[in-house]
Amino acid sequence: MKNVIMMAGLMLGTYGLMAQEKQEHKHEASKTSTDKKEVYQCPMKCEGNKTYTKKGKCPACTMELKAVKKAA
């Protein structure tokens, strides 16, 4: 009987953790979709003021692009 109760508790606990994780994931996804004010730019400004929407390397000098605030 103890084993049955312990297994039921473990199953409910696992289900609760999974539900909480899904809720947090939804919250993060909605936050990132509304918070897209950062763009990326080469710190050496090889290509002038050209910006990119994704992280990566500058195609001209291969330096890592840095996050900058998008101009309004």
Side-chain angles (χ1 to χ4, degrees):
M1 186 65 175
K2 286 183 183 179
N3 288 342
V4 172
I5 293 172
M6 189 167 49
M7 288 299 292
L10 285 173
M11 289 173 65
L12 287 173
T14 303
Y15 177 74
L17 288 174
M18 288 173 29
Q20 180 181 4
E21 188 175 309
K22 283 184 182 180
Q23 193 78 352
E24 288 174 0
H25 183 67
K26 280 184 183 178
H27 180 67
E28 284 178 16
S30 66
K31 182 180 176 184
T32 56
S33 65
T34 60
D35 212 12
K36 296 229 178 198
K37 296 185 190 223
E38 280 191 340
V39 291
Y40 300 91
Q41 188 176 36
C42 178
M44 298 297 290
K45 302 207 184 224
C46 301
E47 300 179 307
N49 288 329
K50 185 172 183 180
T51 58
Y52 301 89
T53 56
K54 295 181 181 179
K55 283 185 178 181
K57 294 189 181 270
C58 173
C61 69
T62 67
M63 285 188 69
E64 200 67 34
L65 298 174
K66 300 292 179 185
V68 294
K69 295 286 181 185
K70 188 184 280 188

